[in-house]
Each structure stands twice: as C-alpha cells, then as structure tokens.
Amino acid sequence: MPELNSIIKKVALADQFIAVRSFTEKLCNTLETEDMVLQSMTDASPTRWHLAHTTWFFESFVLKQFDPSYRSFHPEFDFLFNSYYVQAGKRFCRSDRGLLSRPTVNTVMAFRRHINDVIPILINKVLGTAAEREFFRVLEIGLNHEQQHQELILTDIKHALSLNPLQPAIFPGDIPRATPPGRIQWESISEGIYELGTDLESFHFDNEGPRHKQFLSSYHIADRTVTNEEFLEFIKAGGYSNQVLWLDKAWAEMSAEQWKRPYYWNESDDGWTEYTMYGTRLLDMNAPVCHISYYEADAYARWAGYRLPTEAEWEVAALPRSVQGHFAEDFLFQATDTSAFFGTVWEWTGSAYTPYPGYSPEPGALGEYNGKFMCDQHVLRGGSVATSGSHIRPTYRNFFPGYARWQFAGIRLARDWDA
Amino acid sequence: MPELNSIIKKVALADQFIAVRSFTEKLCNTLETEDMVLQSMTDASPTRWHLAHTTWFFESFVLKQFDPSYRSFHPEFDFLFNSYYVQAGKRFCRSDRGLLSRPTVNTVMAFRRHINDVIPILINKVLGTAAEREFFRVLEIGLNHEQQHQELILTDIKHALSLNPLQPAIFPGDIPRATPPGRIQWESISEGIYELGTDLESFHFDNEGPRHKQFLSSYHIADRTVTNEEFLEFIKAGGYSNQVLWLDKAWAEMSAEQWKRPYYWNESDDGWTEYTMYGTRLLDMNAPVCHISYYEADAYARWAGYRLPTEAEWEVAALPRSVQGHFAEDFLFQATDTSAFFGTVWEWTGSAYTPYPGYSPEPGALGEYNGKFMCDQHVLRGGSVATSGSHIRPTYRNFFPGYARWQFAGIRLARDWDA
Amino acid sequence: MPELNSIIKKVALADQFIAVRSFTEKLCNTLETEDMVLQSMTDASPTRWHLAHTTWFFESFVLKQFDPSYRSFHPEFDFLFNSYYVQAGKRFCRSDRGLLSRPTVNTVMAFRRHINDVIPILINKVLGTAAEREFFRVLEIGLNHEQQHQELILTDIKHALSLNPLQPAIFPGDIPRATPPGRIQWESISEGIYELGTDLESFHFDNEGPRHKQFLSSYHIADRTVTNEEFLEFIKAGGYSNQVLWLDKAWAEMSAEQWKRPYYWNESDDGWTEYTMYGTRLLDMNAPVCHISYYEADAYARWAGYRLPTEAEWEVAALPRSVQGHFAEDFLFQATDTSAFFGTVWEWTGSAYTPYPGYSPEPGALGEYNGKFMCDQHVLRGGSVATSGSHIRPTYRNFFPGYARWQFAGIRLARDWDA
Amino acid sequence: MPELNSIIKKVALADQFIAVRSFTEKLCNTLETEDMVLQSMTDASPTRWHLAHTTWFFESFVLKQFDPSYRSFHPEFDFLFNSYYVQAGKRFCRSDRGLLSRPTVNTVMAFRRHINDVIPILINKVLGTAAEREFFRVLEIGLNHEQQHQELILTDIKHALSLNPLQPAIFPGDIPRATPPGRIQWESISEGIYELGTDLESFHFDNEGPRHKQFLSSYHIADRTVTNEEFLEFIKAGGYSNQVLWLDKAWAEMSAEQWKRPYYWNESDDGWTEYTMYGTRLLDMNAPVCHISYYEADAYARWAGYRLPTEAEWEVAALPRSVQGHFAEDFLFQATDTSAFFGTVWEWTGSAYTPYPGYSPEPGALGEYNGKFMCDQHVLRGGSVATSGSHIRPTYRNFFPGYARWQFAGIRLARDWDA
C-alpha cells in the first residue's frame, strides 16, 4: 500500500508545515518589535529577516514553482529576502540586513500568514498529480530550512541582546542546575571499514550523502561532553595565553580579538557569570561548556592531552544510539546536561567540511544549499538545545567557520588507542 | 523693571520648553517603531537615541544639578544616552547605538513624558531663588541642544531610509516646484575692520564668541545659492573625474567612495531623480543643490572660477538681513528656493572651524559642547529646511567634516574684487 | 655493516649540507641588493630574510643544541630571524620583515659563511658520539627546511618584482616552448583499502605520517595537467563572472580582489602575456596553467564537469611512478610541460590539510613545523619547477590557503567512475 | 645695472644648484643601500625615491620645458618618480614606493649625475634669452623643492630605522647636552592691523602670499619652546589619559594608536630614552620636546593653561628677528636648544592651513605644489635642525596633518592678554 503510505506522509507533512511555522512564531513571542530589527554582526541576521526569508523560501521554491498563477506577495521581497541563492536572482547585501526597517514586522507577519494560508490549499491541489513527489520533496526541504533558521533566530537574538548593557532576559523563568557528571568514560571502537552517510530513504540534506565506506583506525571516544568546570581549569592553567596550544590561525584571530574565556562568560565580583536567554546567571560548573569556537575546542583538547573526534568517528559512535537529548521542543534554551550525543550542545569535530566521495549537489538553486560552503569550515554534530529534535539525525552535518562562537557548541574528546 | 522682564522671559522659556519638546515628537509621528532603531552609519544615530539623549540632557544638566532630591528615571540611562560628555561619566560606544533595542521606544517615550512633567514643576520651584539665573541658562542650552537634535533626527532618518530598496516616503504629500532664479548677482563689500561674533546678550553657543574685530579684504558674494541645474553642468563637464579641481584629501576620499553625483541623486531611465523625505522624485532643476560635501562645494566653486566665502565674509553679508527663509517650522523638508541667506540649505564656507580670538569654552561638562570639535571640520552658515528658525542667528556656526553629505548643505559663491 | 652505512650516510649529509647551502646562494646571484630587501605582501618574505632565517635554523636547532660552547653570531638574530617557533623565543612581526634594512645583505652573507664553516667542524665532532643520531636527524630537517625556503625565495621575489612597472627579468635567457599535449587520458583506479603516508624509514616531515589505511571509492584521474589554452576557454566562457561555479568563500574573496585571470597573466595589444622569471612573455598555450589559487582550480574543475582529486587519490596514482619531472635542479623556473605527476607545477587537491589518523607532531619546537597550520589550508602535491627534485616524495604534503596564487600551482582533474 | 645684478643672481643660482644637489648626497653618505629602499609608512618615502624624485623634478619642469632636444634619461621614470603632479602625468601609487627595488640606487645616482651635468650646460644656453626669467624662476623652485626633500630624507629614514630592533645610528658621533633654559618669558604684542605674508620680491612659495592685512587682538607669546622636562610633567600628571585635555579627533586617533609619550621616547630601566639619528640616548631634559603631533602640542598647551599661537601671531613675533638658529647646515640632527624662533624644532601653530585672502596658485602643474593640500592640515613655522637655514623665512608655511609625529616639531606657547 505505498499510496496510502504516501497519503499518510503528506498529511503528516501538512501538519508538520503548520507545526513548524507556528513554532517559529512562538519563539518570537517575548521579543519586542525593536529587538527584531537588530543585526549584531555580519554572520547574524535580524529576527524579522529570518521570519521573512523562511517565508520567501516557500514562496520562491514551492508556490512559484508549483502554482503558475501565483503572484508575489510583494515584488521587492525576492530581492530583500533571498539569502544567497544566486540562481534565484539578485539579493540584498547580507551585512546590511540590519539597515532595513521596512517592511515592518507587522507586514512580515502578514506575509507569513499569507503563505501559511495558501500552502495548505496548494497541498490539496497537488495531491495526486504528477508534481506531487517533487512538490513534497521541496516542501520538506522548506520545513527543514525553517527549522535551521529557528535555531539561528535563537542564537542571533542571544548575540544581539547580549551586547545591550541592560542584559535583558529573552525568556522568563529559571534554569535548572546541572547534576555533577562522573569522570569521563571512554568508549572503544576498533579499526575497520564503516558505512557512513545517509541511506537516502528518509529526508536528509545533500551533504549527508552518498552513503560510502570509510576505513577507521581504532579509537576511543568520551561518553560525555566537557563541563564548564573542566574548561575553567584550562583557563586557570593559562590556556588562553599559551600559544603552543593553539592552531596558528586560531592564535592570530583569537589574539586580535583578545579572547580570554567562552563567549558569554564574564568574571564579576560574585564569581563567573554567563549571559543566558534568561539573563545573566552564575556559571553552572556541572553544565557543558558552550559557546566556544572550534579554535577553543581544539586548544582545550590539546591541553587535556586528547583530540577532537573526526566526524566519522563521531557518527560511528552515535549511530547505535537513539536520537534523544535536550532539544528546542523542550523550550529551555540553556545547556544543562553532558550525557547525550544528541541535543544540548553541538559537538565540534576535527573534520573540515568537505564533500563525501561521490557527492553531488541538488539540481538547481537548491544545490547552493550546502555544496558551496565546503571550504574552510568545520563540522559539528548532534544538535543543541536550540535545534528541533525532529530535525536531527546521526548523519546530520552542521558546519561553521573556526572562529564562530555564538552557536550552542561544546566539546567531546577522543583519542587514539595507543595514545 | 528688569524683574518683570525676567519673569516674562521665564514664562517664555517654560512655553518654549513645551513647544520644543512636542515639536521633536511631532517629527517622529510618521515613523514606524522599526525605523527608530536604525543606525545607518557611525555619524548618524537612531531616532530612539536622539529622543532619549535630549531627554537625558535635561535630566543630567538640569534636574540633577538643580533638584538634589531628583532620582534618575533609570540608573543605566546615564551610560546609554550620554553622547560625548566625558565629564558627565562613561558612555556607550557611538558606533553601536544601532545595536540597542532596549529600552524600547515606548520606554523612551515614557522617559520623555516623565521629564516633560517634572521640568515645569522645577521651573516654578526655582523661580525667584539664587539658582534662577544659572537654571535658565542651562535650560536654554538644553532647548537649543534639542533643536539641534531635531535636525539630526531628520537628516539621520533620511539617510537610513534612503538605503532601503523600498525607498519609503517619510512624510506624506508633495513638494512644490522651485521657480527659476535669475543669474547670480554679486554683492560687493569693501575692505575694512569688521566686528564679528556674538554680542553676548541673547542666547548663543560659546563658539559664537567673543565678539572680535577682523580685517576683511574687499570681496563679492553671490545673492543666491547654486541650483541643481548649475551643478549638473559641473557633472556633465566631467567635474567628478577631473582631479585638478579637487583638494588632495577630497580626491582621495571621493575616489575611494566613487562619488559621481550629490548624495541622494540617481540617474534613471526617466532622467535625474532625487530621494527626498517624500520618496524619490524627479530632480527639480531650479532648486538649490543640496546634500553635497565641503569637498564637492569647493570643487564646484573652483570649476566655476570662484571660491567659497569665508565665514567672516558670509557673516558680514548676512548681518543686515532679517533671519527669514524656509525653516523646520514650515514642515516641508525639501529645499526649493535659492534666494535666502537663512534657512533652506546650510552654506559651506571656506573656513576651517577654529576658535575665535579670546574664545573660552563654557565651564564644566557643557564646555565640551563645541570646543573639542575645533579640528579638521568646516564651518557652515545660515540653517536649512530642517533647522528651526528660532534657532538661527547670523553668528551661528555649524560645522561638519569635509566629507559629510547627509546634511541639507549647498553652495554660495564668492570672489575677490580683482578676480 | 650498519655502521659503515651510517658513515656513508653522514658523509652524504655533509656533502648535501654544502650542496644545499650553495644552491641557495646560487639562486640569488642575479639579484640586486635592493631586491633582497623587498617584502611585497605578508605571505612573502624578503630574500635577505630567507637567507638569514635558514641560517638561524641551523644555529638554533643544530649548533646551540649540540655544541654547548657555541656563541650566537649576533645576540639579536634570534629575535629577528625566528619565523614562528614559539618555543624558540620571541620573534619579529612577520608582516614587518620588509622594514628591516639591517643587518645588511653583506652581514647576512657573513652569517651564512660562518655557519657554513662551523657546521662541518661540528659534524666531525659529533660523529661516533651518542648524540650522532639526533644530530643528523635535526641536520636533515634543517636541509629540507632550507630547500623549502629556496622555493619561497623564488616565488617571493617573482611576486615582488612583478609589481615593478619595469617588469625586470630575474634570470637571463629564454624559455623553451611547450609541445602540444594530447587530449586528457583517464587512469582508472578501483575501490579498496590503500596504505598511505610514509613508511618512516627515509626522511619525511611529521605531517606525512603515520602510514595508515584509507578506503577509496573507484575513481579516474587525468594523465596530465590542464593547459593555459584550456584555462583560457574557462575565461572566455565567463568563468570568472559566473558565481555558481565558485565556492562561497572563493567568490567573496575573488570578487573583492577583482580576479579575472591567473595571477601573472595580462592581456595586451599583442595578446595574452605572462610575467615570468625571464620577464614578460607571450603566453605559451601548451604549457600548464600556473599561479592559480585553490579557488580557481576548484571552479575550473566544476566548470569542466570534473573535480580535483583528493590527496589520497593523487598519492595512490603517483606511488607507482618514479619521481621524475622538471625540478629546481634544471634551473629553468617556468612550467613548460603537462605530463609529469612530479615537478613542473604543484597540483591542488580537493583535500583540506588535516592530520592523518594517529598523527603526532615532532617533539619540541620543531613540532611547530607542520601541525599548527592544519586549519583552513589546502593540500598540494608533486612539487614544481622551483622545488628541488631531491626534496620530493610521493607522500610529500604541501599546503597553502585557498587564495594563494604566487606559488607555481596548477590543476590535475579527477572524476568518479559513474560521473 | 639691473643686468649685472641679474647675472650675479644667476651665477649664484648655478652655484646654489651644485651646492643643494651635493648636500642631498652628503646626507646619504652613511646610509646602506638596503636602508635607501625602505618605506616605513605611507606618509614617508624611501631615500632612493627622494633622490630620484627631486631629480625628476628638474628633468620634467626644467629640462623638458626649456630644452626641446632633451630626451628622458629613462622613459619609465616619469611614471615612477612623479609624486602627485596630476598635470604632469600618471604616477606610481604612493604607498607602494617601498615595493620598488629597481631602478637601483646606482642607477638613481647615475640619473642624478646626468641631471647635474646637463643643467649647468642649459643655464649657460638660456642666459640672455627671453626664457631666462622663467627658467630661473622654475630652477629656483626646483632647488627649494629639493631642500624640502632633504628634510624628508632625514625624517623618513629616522622613522624607518627606528623600527629596527637593532636601533642603528644613522650618523656617527655625540650630541651635546642642552643648557637649562630659564622660566618662560612672555613677549607682549598689542592689537592692531598687521601686514602678513610675503612681499613678493625674493623667493617664496605661492602659499606665502599675497601680502595682506590681518587684525590681531593683543596677545603674549613665549620666548622659548617647551622642554622635555616640562612635557614629562604633563605625562606624569596623566595628560595622555585625561580625555578632557584632547580635541575629540585627537583623542579618537591617539587612543586607537595607544600613544603614551612623544614618538621616539621610551622608558627603560635606565630612565627615559630617545631614539635619535645617533642611536638611542638618555633623554636630555633641557632640550626642546620634539616629534610630537599637533594633537599633543594642543593638549599640552591646554593642560598648561595656555594655547598655541596662531600663525599670524607667530609671524608678527618672528618678523623682527634675524633668521638664526640651529639648521641642517650644522649637520647635527638633534634639537638641543629652546631659545630660537627659527630652526631647531618646527613650531605647531593653532592655525588650520588655509589660503590667504587673494591667494592664487602658481599656473600649471606647479600650482599643485601647495594649494590642493589646504584641507585639514595644520601650520608649522620656523624650521628645524633638519631644514636648511637658506630655505627658511619668517613667512614660510609648513603644514602637516594633526597626527604627524615624525617631523622635528615642538611647542611654543601663547596666551591672551587677560587670560
């Protein structure tokens, strides 16, 4: 009964469309209109822009492709809300997104409502037609795309509001304290050929495939992530001023920026504090260290006598586990647990972000989604408190430049067998 | 009856306080909340910041000085809304004003209302006390300070919204066309000692005094400002690519920025257009050229075979005239007339902004108002469509760096007698 | 007779010391004193600096380590000529190497002669002592280090003199024309586990090991490198302005720098020319394209419908071949042949420069030689006309940032079996 | 006998030509070839460039204008050694002058000798022709131009070699200690109309004229310049960290560069030292403070309770004095005396560099000499130890941007009568 399965899947997709779209809006409920305009750095975007861009994605790649009668909500939005899709036309300069006050938040929300209204109508129209398969494929990409921007909405607004001397809380409420984890235990995985990457059946991004073989030497991998307390030892031992621990490029950039601690940490009269989505709090020593760059993760691992796992090593260790952990659905945007491979904090790997053997990008403009970023970026795995659990798979590859600190990213250690 | 005069003056000041403060708010009536957060360049500030900073000025220099029981509206506002008064404490980095979304516009408006309420009460309290004279002196500075920021609110938001591809109109309505002016007529003023600067009786900024003698050689000064049509001839004659016409520093900066026309001009299929507070319009050839830098004013004058007047030459020519022209009170923020010395467009002079002989700054923090900017800036005279008429005097000295283009600034020509 | 072998090896090393050192000086014979002071960009160093730094290397890591009585030639040279060895002390800022006129070239040559004199004496002293093995290990590193700087002397001075409007020839003489190569033939290599990296017996850098297994999918690799003529087709087809062909980072940097052709190419009235070590010449269409970045190599491959080989793919294909080609010993510093895997032009691979499984750096300061650069760089293989043939092995890993164009680097294509 | 006078003057000019040219070369006698290639900042030029540029000036403006048969020494030198004369053709980018190693110093010296040979021949040819007057006018400009570059040769090479950790002495020998000056005495000059600027008879630059009237208010001017000891008190009083003392622009630039003392000063274990043309020496407390910017001069004056004189005030005070002091002819390039208005150190005035009333530049390319720099620069008066005494007049106007510190510039104080 593949057809029935197909219908079920489509109903699920329609439901998921509504769920994902409304979750995005839920994330913004406590923001002020003024907050939604801020762009605090080139790498970040205003909330308003995320809200509009994810909507533009459905308009451009779903509505315009599958409904010939569809007319743009506004003729300039193509230009304003295209992020980087060269094949989808010209776009507004990324670093100037914070210079746009119009369309207003209200207009953007009207744009969202419009798309929210017409997509379900189109779903019904397309059902059973020849375009059905392709339509759902692109719709599913659009939903996963929006989930990625949900995470960026959170990390970008955290970055922006952290710069405000008022140190405003973005969400009300408290953060539970982490329980002390035990010493790191080391899992052992022995050498051999492993099959990695996606099996192509369920949804995945093009960068997760194709499935391919890789030979791994024997290795150990830690059963938990590094804690704030452990990272503080690195600081106290002079880690940030010991050049020998750092990659050459890391040292150059880190010295220029005068890094001395993880991004949201501060040292006050009361001790170490951390800016969180709930305002500034005392640092929780048992929570996983978070908001560090690849550079810091790599230097910490070297100092500790270990190294970061490669993404293949991480995937092999993660594959047998269920995708459980602390995710965005929990609506608690602060890392408090070191035990899971999935959720809580993204885990920097030692792998550069490059294509898998046999990789080919999606055809058309959507092929720009991943492939063109495969240069001088570093792979992170596992998801974070700001990632939807429904968005994560063991094969999922996230990537950021080595200096990026505003994501919820932490450290899992690895080592060779003899080391 | 000097006392009666004094009372009358104070009643007038109280009225003026209400008038000036509400005029500021009137200027923002058509702005969206999102607009008021934008900072489009370091030289400009968000509307919200201007609204708060002018209010902070009264809190810091009036309320805190003259009412010992006064408590700050918010303890952090001193830090957030001090512009550059070193002696008034630390301040938030100027170029990051656009990164503040909190306090929100609503909170800033509440801050304004609070100050609007308590100042009149304090006026009544102070009346007849020993502090009265000093109180009114500072209050008057505060009002003139707020009038200066009214102009910046206008020029800054024009700059910010001009960058939006939607090219939004800030005010509704139309702009009257200018009537063609006649050929330039030259006034002749002969050499001699002139007394310049303020006579110290009525309100003035410290940079306008002291009154002093200056010897002027004979000169001619134009009876009107340069039109768009005349400036267009300069463009067509290759003025922007003829290095010989430009000051060395002007050429370096202008080439780097690739200037080719006045700041808000554009060339479209329909001909020359101009971004105005009322949206993008066809260029009015008979209107005064506006939104040009000192560099462009100087290059134009050289190309035309003339020069800019010094500020002394301008002042001597302007002194006998009444302060009439097109001002902010007209609520039409576009230059349409070349005839007046006052209002419409600021006029770049050939004078560097330096202290007058015998100049001494105000005592205390208010002494930072003018003196410390007397370096590598250029004097403008006369006011503009964005300046309140009540704010302008023949001795009034405005100043900006040579590259500044976002003010309503134009050109009046001068020449030596023999030239 | 391992001892005899050892003696033979040491005699060979002593001979090699003299040979390598004098080859360095031979490379500079035609340079003017003035040339040797230039630093044309941060990535390049003055000839004088290379001459001194390679000498400092022997002083610091050989003489000071193995001769307790040795006194520095000059106390400041440690600071001036340390490149990046943190553990060897402070060093002069890299980007300011062109600001040093003292010590003069004559003094640096005296420094070289001094070291050239004392090292052979030390060789004799150390022979037969317990330190012998370690001594020769470090001496051999020093010689390989100097060979690397020989190549940089050539590429750096080519870059520097190319900026001179006089376009001076660095060497006298002519360049032979390349013969037209045939169409690309594709070698086929089938999937399996391959052993890669060094076998640890003969000299190698730490980044070439350890020997390890890697699973490769089946692939084809081209039998020759890409010609100037082929690359010109890419230019004519608009390759430099077609954003879809470029990695995101490549496009950003390349657009900012306005690249339109390989680094030393120019288009003149006579057609395409190229700046060479022998002055500016007409481009040889049959010669391999050279002086391109990783970005251009990658974009070209994408445009041509292929890809770059990984470094593992390159090594597997190169391993069975003898290390023959056009090398620095030929003293002809211009690429004229597309046929060899070794020499002529370095070949960009698609591999990011990361450590091999089980990698550990050399102990001590020499451990900074390679490991700390394993971040955001790209591997090149095979050597070039500016590399000594005695310096190259199939396992040799060279690396540069993606934007680097001043090396003699070109393109070999690869593809998947099904593609 | 005006003709005889004319002949005498011309003979004098021919002698002066030889004297000025050979003095330039004498200044370079102790420099190494390597030194002469350095460009340590955009504002400075390599010695080699100064040697060639001054020679190019005679070739372009004298030989090519007055000898139709003259052929360029080298066709590319026009491009390479034109500084900024737009009307004299294209020129090599100023900030890249340090990237030229060719033509070599030897070739430049050959160029100098060639011009030195042909100019005297041309003098004889032109004598008695109609072109004579204009010829000598331009020749005299050329000589004065070369004298200006003599000073820059000294200040630029001092700057360049100061960056070398070896801190080389440029000249051999010792510096005499200064004798302690008495307290500052104040000359009083009363208000009135003064005639300023040149009388047009003897040689002068166009910026020194025309002679014009200026009204001065009464003022006092110090009889000597400020000493190192006095400036040290400013430092000890926290002058460099007290923002209130600094012009706004000064503070911004000075903070960014982290200035804490005059440019060549250092604090060592032995106390305050100063880099001089004779190597690093202990600071002479009685010598005039030197190598400070306008910003520092202005801040010091404000701290001391005084101000800088205007250039008119300086000129009125200097006019009655003979032009005596410590000049380049003394061949001692270190300031050791505070007493003279002329020589020793340039004196920053409070005047912006703007044209005098009635100013018109020289016709043709030589008109670019001064006029186009009249923007955001500050006037210095009096000459320094690096200026030829034969080059200085009371009306002489030197000018530099406010941040410039590498000239031999110091401070003379002034004050109003009532202050």
Side-chain angles (χ1 to χ4, degrees), chain B residues 10 61 65 112 119-120 154 222 226 276 278 296 336-337 345 358 376 386 390 415:
Chain B
K10 281 148 208 171
F61 296 118
Q65 307 304 320
R112 288 188 67 88
I119 287 275
L154 291 164
V226 170
T276 76
Y278 306 87
E296 289 158 298
T336 57
D337 180 79
V345 290
D376 301 344
S390 65
R415 58 185 171 98

Side-chain angles (χ1 to χ4, degrees), chain B residues 339-364:
Chain B
S339 67
F341 269 67
F342 298 101
T344 310
V345 290
W346 287 101
E347 303 176 11
W348 286 108
T349 72
S351 296
Y353 179 49
T354 51
Y356 285 159
Y359 168 74
S360 62
E362 296 270 336

Side-chain angles (χ1 to χ4, degrees), chain C residues 33-82:
Chain C
T33 298
E34 290 89 338
D35 299 335
M36 300 169 85
V37 182
L38 298 189
Q39 181 177 35
S40 54
M41 58 173 173
T42 299
D43 283 340
S45 296
T47 312
R48 219 183 85 270
W49 189 89
H50 287 300
L51 291 172
H53 165 69
T54 48
T55 306
W56 165 88
F57 192 99
F58 286 110
E59 188 178 66
S60 283
F61 296 118
V62 179
L63 286 158
K64 290 191 181 166
Q65 307 305 320
F66 296 93
D67 178 0
S69 69
Y70 182 78
R71 290 292 160 268
S72 293
F73 182 79
H74 189 294
E76 283 282 342
F77 284 13
D78 258 13
F79 175 73
L80 290 174
F81 299 123
N82 181 355

Side-chain angles (χ1 to χ4, degrees), chain D residues 33-34 60 101 142 145 175 189 208 231 253 261 322 332 395:
Chain D
T33 298
E34 290 90 337
S60 283
S101 56
H145 171 259
I175 309 163
I189 294 172
E208 297 174 63
F231 198 85
E253 298 187 7
R261 57 189 78 87
S322 63
L332 173 63
T395 59

